[in-house]
Amino acid sequence: MKQREDRYFVLTPYNPDEAMTLQQAAHRAQKVENTIRNWCEREGLGRRIGGKWCVSKVALEMYLDGEGATLDRYLKGDRQSADVAAYFAKFMLPMEALVLTGH
C-alpha cells in the first residue's frame, strides 16, 4: 500500500488520451467503480481533475499486470525506463518529458 503523503506523478503531464473515466477503468478491470476509486486513492492510479476521477490507462495496466516496480517508477515521474516506455507504446501515447523541480 502506498503512503498517502507520497506525491504521485500520475497523469503528469496531463494527456487526455492517457486518461479514462472510472466507468471505463471498471470495465477494463472487470471491477466496480468503487474499487477503482479506492485503487486511485490507495495505489495512485488516478487523480481528481475538475472534481472527477481520471484514471491513467498506463498506471491501471501496470497494476493489473502486477508490475509493481514499473508502476512505482511511473508514479515517481519516470517516463524514460524501457519498461515504463513499453506501456506508453502499448497505448500509442507520446512520452512527454516530466520536469521535476525540487521543493
Side-chain angles (χ1 to χ4, degrees):
M1 181 196 299
K2 309 270 185 246
Q3 297 296 319
R4 288 180 76 69
E5 62 270 7
D6 285 350
R7 171 82 197 271
Y8 300 130
F9 291 100
V10 63
L11 293 167
T12 304
Y14 180 72
N15 177 349
D17 292 333
E18 182 187 346
M20 60 173 53
T21 66
L22 284 176
Q23 182 181 19
Q24 291 168 325
H27 182 263
R28 167 65 190 99
Q30 299 180 342
K31 301 290 183 184
V32 296
E33 287 182 36
N34 196 45
T35 297
I36 303 301
R37 185 179 301 108
N38 289 339
W39 288 355
C40 287
E41 291 175 350
R42 191 179 67 233
E43 306 297 333
L45 303 185
R47 65 184 174 111
R48 291 176 71 80
I49 299 174
K52 295 184 179 183
W53 279 104
C54 293
V55 182
S56 165
K57 293 174 186 175
V58 171
L60 178 62
E61 200 70 16
M62 291 172 181
Y63 186 75
L64 293 175
D65 288 349
E67 294 293 336
T70 304
L71 178 59
D72 284 343
R73 280 191 287 285
Y74 167 82
L75 292 175
K76 289 177 182 173
D78 182 340
R79 302 295 184 266
Q80 302 305 316
S81 294
D83 54 350
V84 174
Y87 280 91
F88 278 84
K90 179 177 183 174
F91 293 105
M92 298 187 317
L93 295 167
M95 292 183 314
E96 299 177 39
L98 179 59
V99 179
L100 303 177
T101 58
H103 292 46

